[in-house]
């Protein structure tokens, strides 16, 4: 089987990593966890980050088959609809996005949201397989951070979203609606059963001053050195640590705009009678 060519882009504004995964034999590609630039002060979106992806795809002569999300992000807006318009491809996410939609449809009183995932082109269940060109990809449901989190595994490369971070930073928070520390621990243990040399490609990095951003680690490195969940850390100890830590964390800067866009597969809310689309700010709801 071919080994994927992976080119990654780090967005400093949101600490997000977008991965372009390419089958070298067919030049078919998937874009994982894209970023639509958003200035919260002005309410304006822009496409500088996404345009860098487009430039790379066009220069490399790639055909985009998939625009994949590891989950409905709470820290950046997805650029999937913009990329689909420019490059083609189907927007895919884990099937449990429906659970996330049900929660946030009520919070945002958003009548247009389907709660059936109809905004996306494809919903993946645990164990599903699909192709990027001739690359076989397996979907692993890895909830805990959110109910809809999935990992995309092709060969020795796994794209784990927010489930794990670099060993010196730890693991995802679990205090968003539907998050659960015990569930996250079980998801991580499932990833730890992958071969030790499996490369884990992360969606975020929050580096200390002592190092530059990094987004590739391995199962072995995480099992040995992850500060939250290395081998020997029990589920009960992890839950105690994670729940205590989450109580100290502030909400992500872009959680309210991000979630209401991302549960719509990156689409803006429907324009109102004046032709303008509005994001909602629920008061005392979260």
């Amino acid at each position: 089987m071919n080994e994927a060519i992976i080119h990654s882009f780090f967005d400093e504004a949101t600490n997000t990593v977008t991965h372009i995964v390419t089958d070298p034999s067919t030049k078919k590609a998937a874009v994982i966890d894209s970023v639509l630039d958003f200035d919260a002060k002005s309410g304006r979106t822009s496409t500088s980050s996404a345009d860098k992806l487009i430039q790379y795809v066009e220069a490399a002569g790639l055909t985009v088959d998939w625009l994949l999300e590891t989950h409905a992000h709470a820290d950046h807006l997805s650029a999937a609809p913009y990329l689909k318009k420019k490059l083609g491809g189907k927007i895919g996410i884990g099937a449990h996005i429906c659970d996330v939609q049900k929660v946030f449809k009520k919070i945002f009183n958003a009548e247009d949201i389907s709660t059936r995932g109809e905004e996306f082109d494809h919903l993946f269940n645990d164990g599903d397989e699909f192709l990027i060109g001739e690359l076989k990809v397996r979907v692993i449901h890895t909830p805990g951070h959110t109910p809809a989190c999935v990992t995309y595994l092709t060969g020795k490369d796994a794209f784990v979203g927010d489930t794990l971070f670099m060993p010196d930073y730890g693991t995802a928070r679990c205090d968003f609606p539907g998050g659960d520390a015990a569930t996250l621990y079980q998801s991580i243990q499932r990833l730890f059963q992958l071969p030790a040399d499996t490369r884990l490609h992360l969606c975020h990095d929050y580096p200390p001053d002592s190092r530059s951003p990094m987004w590739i680690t391995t199962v072995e490195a995480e099992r040995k050195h992850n500060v939250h969940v290395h081998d020997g850390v029990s589920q009960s100890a992890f839950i105690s640590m994670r729940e205590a830590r989450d109580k100290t964390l502030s909400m992500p800067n872009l959680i309210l705009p991000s979630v209401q866009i991302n549960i719509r597969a990156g689409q803006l809310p429907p324009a109102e009678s004046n032709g303008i689309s509005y994001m909602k700010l629920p008061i005392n709801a979260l």
Side-chain angles (χ1 to χ4, degrees), residues 3-280:
E3 186 169 294
I5 296 173
I6 301 164
H7 194 85
S8 302
F9 298 77
F10 183 73
D11 177 61
E12 292 186 2
T14 62
N15 291 85
T16 302
V17 189
T18 300
H19 308 285
I20 298 181
V21 183
T22 303
D23 170 28
S25 65
T26 64
K27 290 197 170 184
K28 297 292 185 66
V31 179
I32 303 178
D33 292 334
S34 61
V35 175
L36 180 70
D37 304 305
F38 179 68
D39 179 62
K41 293 179 180 179
S42 65
R44 298 198 68 87
T45 63
S46 58
T47 60
S48 176
S49 295
D51 288 337
K52 293 176 183 177
L53 309 181
I54 294 171
Q55 183 179 20
Y56 173 81
V57 166
E58 292 179 342
L62 307 181
T63 300
V64 173
D65 282 350
W66 290 99
L67 302 159
L68 302 174
E69 304 290 350
T70 54
H71 62 294
H73 308 276
D75 41 33
H76 69 272
L77 281 63
S78 170
Y82 175 74
L83 294 173
K84 180 178 179 178
K85 181 178 179 181
K86 295 291 187 179
L87 299 173
K90 294 184 289 187
I91 303 174
I93 199 169
H96 286 272
I97 188 63
C98 302
D99 300 330
V100 179
Q101 288 181 323
K102 288 173 185 176
V103 170
F104 284 102
K105 177 172 184 168
K106 293 179 181 178
I107 290 174
F108 291 110
N109 195 28
E111 294 300 324
D112 64 292
I113 294 174
S114 70
T115 72
R116 295 179 298 276
E118 294 172 354
E119 295 80 0
F120 298 83
D121 297 315
H122 192 89
L123 303 182
F124 293 106
N125 290 294
D126 184 52
D128 281 355
E129 293 185 346
F130 64 99
L131 296 175
I132 303 170
E134 297 178 359
L135 296 174
K136 183 181 290 186
V137 184
R138 178 163 64 94
V139 179
I140 306 172
H141 185 213
T142 46
H145 174 55
T146 82
C149 291
V150 294
T151 291
Y152 300 105
L153 174 67
T154 178
K156 291 188 175 181
D157 294 292
F159 300 85
V160 300
D162 289 11
T163 302
L164 285 164
F165 299 123
M166 292 302 295
D168 61 356
Y169 196 80
T171 58
R173 64 194 299 166
C174 299
D175 58 337
F176 297 154
D180 181 76
T183 302
L184 180 64
Y185 182 88
Q186 293 158 12
S187 293
I188 292 170
Q189 297 308 310
R190 192 174 180 194
L191 292 177
F192 281 179
Q193 298 308 305
L194 295 172
D197 60 347
T198 302
R199 293 176 291 266
L200 305 179
H201 301 263
L202 313 179
C203 183
H204 294 286
D205 187 40
Y206 305 93
D209 293 338
S210 59
R211 67 168 175 83
S212 300
M214 301 172 66
W215 47 82
I216 303 175
T217 179
T218 65
V219 168
E220 181 179 25
E222 294 287 334
R223 292 187 64 167
K224 287 183 176 180
H225 303 299
N226 188 287
V227 294
H228 294 165
V229 73
H230 55 267
D231 286 350
V233 175
S234 68
Q235 178 169 303
S236 60
F238 176 78
I239 292 170
S240 296
M241 177 282 302
R242 189 68 265 173
E243 291 181 348
R245 179 173 170 79
D246 287 348
K247 290 177 181 178
T248 71
L249 301 177
S250 59
M251 286 289 102
N253 291 335
L254 295 182
I255 183 172
L256 293 174
S258 294
V259 170
Q260 58 188 298
I261 299 303
N262 294 337
I263 59 175
R264 292 178 166 96
Q267 297 286 355
L268 299 179
E272 298 191 10
S273 59
N274 61 356
I276 298 174
S277 179
Y278 292 87
M279 295 181 186
K280 292 184 176 180

